[in-house]
Amino acid sequence: MAKETKDYSKYFDFSDAKVLSEDEHGKTIRIKGREIHIISEPNHRQSKKRRREDVQVLYDTAIPADLQDIGKGKHYIVYTFGCQMNEHDSETIKGILEQMGYTSTEERKEADIILLNTCAIRENAEDKVFGELGHLMHLKREKPDMLLGVCGCMSQEENVVNRIMQKHGFVDLIFGTHNLHRLPHLMKEALLSKEMVVEVWSKEGDIIENLPKKREGLRAWVNIMYGCDKFCTYCIVPMTRGKERSRRPEDVIAEVRDLARQGFKEVTLLGQNVNAYGKDFTDITYSFGDLMDDIRKIDIPRIRFTTSHPRDFDDRLVEVLGKGGNLVEHIHLPVQSGSSEVLKIMGRKYTREIYLELVGKIKAAIPGAVLTTDIIVGFPGETDEQFEDTLSLVHEVGFDSAYTFIYSPREGTPAAVMEDNVPLEVKKERLQRLNRAIELHSRKSHENLRGEIVEVLVEGESKNNASVLAGRTRTNKLVHFEGDHELIGSFVHVKITDAMTWYIKGEIVPETNAAPALTL
């Protein structure tokens, strides 16, 4: 049975709304008894445009003095949905809140502000957020002075903002991905006015440097660029994150050097498409490969990056990654489909053959390279033969793991108006077959490590056994082993003794007996 299509039209009926005021600072409306101050709201037509104005880099971003104590004695919770970019945005949000005097808590009833940082990639992520809002509605009734906000990628979508205004009037704050730095001002307005405050920029934001961040753990994320210009037909990201815009190399390098001084063991460079870094510079010629070549000279043990687009993964980058050192051998390279025909309809701008050629270059230049990927099954029009092309590509490349998904239409994308003619039962069966193929290669890769000694960054206890430690190899493989908790945060050598599908088991090798560890 086909899934019922959502009726978005009901979220655009504002016949019961009354405009109370309107000026150059926005407008105030009343819907079902709730006053809403709309400073700016999302506009899909505007968000699809790619403007030629120069992106400004702003460095003077200090929180105003009168807002630095607004949260003194108060507590916050930030719930994060989605990718590493969302996680990193939440680090910035937490940093801002703590500079305003707020303290983190895990107890909802103790919180004075709760923010949901959302993801728009798939429909189930959206459903989770609205389910969470349903639970929080009861808490909001108990604590009417608590601020409740929705931010992130979902907030950049017209239908989401309209749905919140129509159906979830207890929300106090809606802001998007381009104006995180405006959070203190928006909070002040919501607190003083008691209105719902909406400020979502459809125009891409400037690059805001020097925002505070609350980083925890051994690993740090560093944004090197924002946005995406690829416009894959299934993807909403170019609309929610804006056009591609790169941070200046000196700012990225300065941040990574500071993280090295702070003692971080691993840094992941982030971007919707990191391989496009530098292509928007007009005053210098400086590519992602050049950035990686400079960062590999910084004294941090491991440098990763995500996410790559095969179309922009050039020979210069392959050459630099081949130098090794602190540049790890794990590369996440989303393919999405193994069929050239499906890739063309997806708007990926490469073929199966071009992807496999790139894989060959990577494996030739980087000894022990481990590849992971993203794959969508059941894209509109995908035939049995085209799905078989995906399976054969998985076997040819030998991915160690993959994020696999059933196609999910996103309102506002070209694919959303295509005929979704692959039955759900067929999609589920294809996903099961794909996952079995991935599991086969993952298990095989792990079996090949039996008896080998690998370098592991110890991250903490195993989730299921407090007496077992867990850590990751350079190629991002999860390793479980017994050891003293004092090892957390350090590198150890582990001899692999057993292979599971999604992780490997081992035992610590005393440093005096350790042979050179594999870079795995």
Side-chain angles (χ1 to χ4, degrees):
M1 182 177 178
K3 187 174 181 179
E4 183 181 352
T5 303
K6 283 191 176 182
D7 179 12
Y8 290 97
S9 63
K10 60 185 177 182
Y11 304 134
F12 290 83
D13 178 14
F14 288 93
S15 56
D16 59 340
K18 180 179 180 182
V19 177
L20 303 180
S21 64
E22 187 168 6
D23 57 26
E24 69 274 14
H25 302 298
K27 63 182 177 181
T28 300
I29 64 176
R30 182 183 289 125
I31 300 177
K32 297 174 182 175
R34 183 71 198 269
E35 292 189 6
I36 304 173
H37 183 201
I38 303 174
I39 302 172
S40 57
E41 55 191 321
N43 183 307
H44 269 166
R45 189 169 295 177
Q46 288 293 322
S47 64
K48 289 179 182 179
K49 292 182 179 179
R50 289 297 180 263
R51 301 167 183 81
R52 299 194 177 193
E53 298 99 351
D54 291 337
V55 173
Q56 301 296 312
V57 182
L58 306 178
Y59 295 93
D60 185 12
T61 55
I63 295 172
D66 64 320
L67 298 180
Q68 289 181 9
D69 292 325
I70 199 172
K72 193 171 183 179
K74 297 180 180 180
H75 299 84
Y76 74 86
I77 297 176
V78 178
Y79 292 117
T80 308
F81 304 81
C83 67
Q84 294 97 331
M85 189 71 78
N86 293 59
E87 293 281 356
H88 188 44
D89 284 348
S90 287
E91 290 181 339
T92 300
I93 291 169
K94 292 174 184 178
I96 290 172
L97 290 172
E98 296 208 352
Q99 280 203 1
M100 296 173 69
Y102 287 89
T103 304
S104 174
T105 182
E106 295 183 4
E107 295 294 329
R108 289 189 174 189
K109 290 188 177 181
E110 189 180 27
D112 298 281
I113 177 170
I114 297 179
L115 295 176
L116 277 57
N117 187 12
T118 63
C119 171
I121 292 293
R122 286 170 187 84
E123 189 173 358
N124 65 338
E126 181 179 307
D127 291 340
K128 285 181 182 178
V129 171
F130 281 109
E132 196 64 54
L133 281 178
H135 296 307
L136 289 169
M137 174 180 65
H138 305 291
L139 178 62
K140 179 67 176 175
R141 286 174 178 169
E142 293 176 20
K143 293 186 64 177
D145 291 335
M146 178 191 77
L147 280 183
L148 177 59
V150 178
C151 59
C153 292
M154 275 177 58
S155 297
Q156 295 289 148
E157 298 186 88
E158 287 181 40
N159 62 284
V160 169
V161 173
N162 289 330
R163 178 176 176 179
I164 293 173
M165 290 194 294
Q166 282 276 15
K167 305 291 184 181
H168 302 273
F170 53 90
V171 170
D172 300 293
L173 192 60
I174 305 174
F175 61 100
T177 60
H178 305 318
N179 60 336
L180 293 184
H181 60 293
R182 289 271 301 152
L183 176 57
H185 306 277
L186 301 178
M187 287 173 58
K188 179 183 179 182
E189 175 149 354
L191 285 168
L192 293 178
S193 69
K194 305 297 183 183
E195 301 170 343
M196 180 192 294
V197 176
V198 179
E199 184 182 85
V200 180
W201 295 353
S202 293
K203 180 185 182 299
E204 296 87 353
D206 296 317
I207 292 177
I208 314 296
E209 297 288 350
N210 301 329
L211 288 174
K213 297 174 180 64
K214 184 184 180 183
R215 290 183 167 107
E216 298 173 296
L218 314 168
R219 300 179 293 174
W221 290 306
V222 174
N223 265 115
I224 65 169
M225 66 178 302
Y226 304 90
C228 183
D229 288 345
K230 292 299 174 283
F231 286 97
C232 301
T233 56
Y234 55 83
C235 187
I236 196 71
V237 167
M239 280 71 87
T240 62
R241 289 283 179 175
K243 72 179 180 183
E244 292 174 351
R245 50 210 191 277
S246 306
R247 292 177 64 196
R248 301 298 299 185
E250 59 270 23
D251 293 328
V252 175
I253 291 168
E255 184 174 353
V256 175
R257 282 179 176 154
D258 185 56
L259 293 170
R261 285 190 290 270
Q262 294 178 46
F264 282 93
K265 301 292 196 299
E266 183 174 301
V267 165
T268 302
L269 307 180
L270 292 181
Q272 266 74 37
N273 174 16
V274 290
N275 310 101
Y277 177 84
K279 292 191 174 185
D280 55 317
F281 292 146
T282 57
D283 59 329
I284 57 173
T285 300
Y286 191 88
S287 69
F288 182 50
D290 297 327
L291 180 68
M292 292 294 282
D293 206 18
D294 285 336
I295 287 180
R296 74 181 181 85
K297 301 165 188 172
I298 299 174
D299 188 20
I300 282 185
R302 293 180 179 178
I303 301 292
R304 304 185 184 277
F305 60 92
T306 194
T307 281
S308 297
H309 194 298
R311 180 181 168 193
D312 292 323
F313 206 115
D314 58 26
D315 291 344
R316 167 64 173 156
L317 179 58
V318 174
E319 172 209 346
V320 171
L321 294 176
K323 296 179 181 181
N326 61 356
L327 306 183
V328 300
E329 296 76 25
H330 169 229
I331 296 171
H332 190 68
L333 193 65
V335 65
Q336 305 302 356
S337 173
S339 162
S340 293
E341 293 89 350
V342 174
L343 289 171
K344 184 176 181 180
I345 300 170
M346 287 179 166
R348 293 291 286 174
K349 304 294 176 61
Y350 56 82
T351 62
R352 172 193 178 95
E353 292 71 27
I354 289 173
Y355 185 90
L356 290 173
E357 181 183 356
L358 173 58
V359 168
K361 288 180 180 179
I362 290 171
K363 290 186 175 182
I366 307 168
V370 164
L371 295 176
T372 58
T373 196
D374 297 342
I375 298 175
I376 298 170
V377 301
F379 191 76
E382 183 188 64
T383 65
D384 289 338
E385 292 77 12
Q386 289 166 343
F387 173 69
E388 292 295 335
D389 286 342
T390 294
L391 280 184
S392 68
L393 182 136
V394 165
H395 292 307
E396 187 167 346
V397 175
F399 296 110
D400 274 48
S401 66
Y403 294 105
T404 58
F405 310 96
I406 288 175
Y407 167 71
S408 173
R410 304 307 296 138
E411 181 75 8
T413 63
V417 297
M418 297 178 186
E419 183 184 0
D420 191 3
N421 55 0
V422 181
L424 182 58
E425 293 77 12
V426 173
K427 292 178 182 178
K428 288 181 177 179
E429 188 269 340
R430 289 177 184 174
L431 183 67
Q432 290 174 355
R433 290 181 61 198
L434 174 61
N435 286 340
R436 286 197 296 268
I438 297 293
E439 289 170 10
L440 175 70
H441 288 285
S442 177
R443 188 65 178 256
K444 180 180 178 182
S445 172
H446 290 168
E447 290 286 355
N448 290 338
L449 290 176
R450 282 182 185 271
E452 301 290 353
I453 295 174
V454 297
E455 178 194 81
V456 176
L457 175 58
V458 188
E459 297 178 352
E461 298 176 356
S462 164
K463 292 181 179 179
N464 300 320
N465 189 340
S467 65
V468 173
L469 297 180
R472 291 193 178 269
T473 67
R474 285 172 59 94
T475 51
N476 213 34
K477 294 180 182 294
L478 180 62
V479 185
H480 286 179
F481 55 94
E482 292 186 359
D484 195 300
H485 281 59
E486 290 182 359
L487 294 173
I488 294 173
S490 65
F491 289 98
V492 298
H493 288 153
V494 176
K495 184 175 182 179
I496 303 306
T497 59
D498 200 6
M500 314 301 285
T501 301
W502 302 122
Y503 68 97
I504 45 184
K505 294 181 179 180
E507 56 188 27
I508 290 182
V509 178
E511 292 301 312
T512 53
N513 300 331
L518 290 177
T519 54
L520 293 170

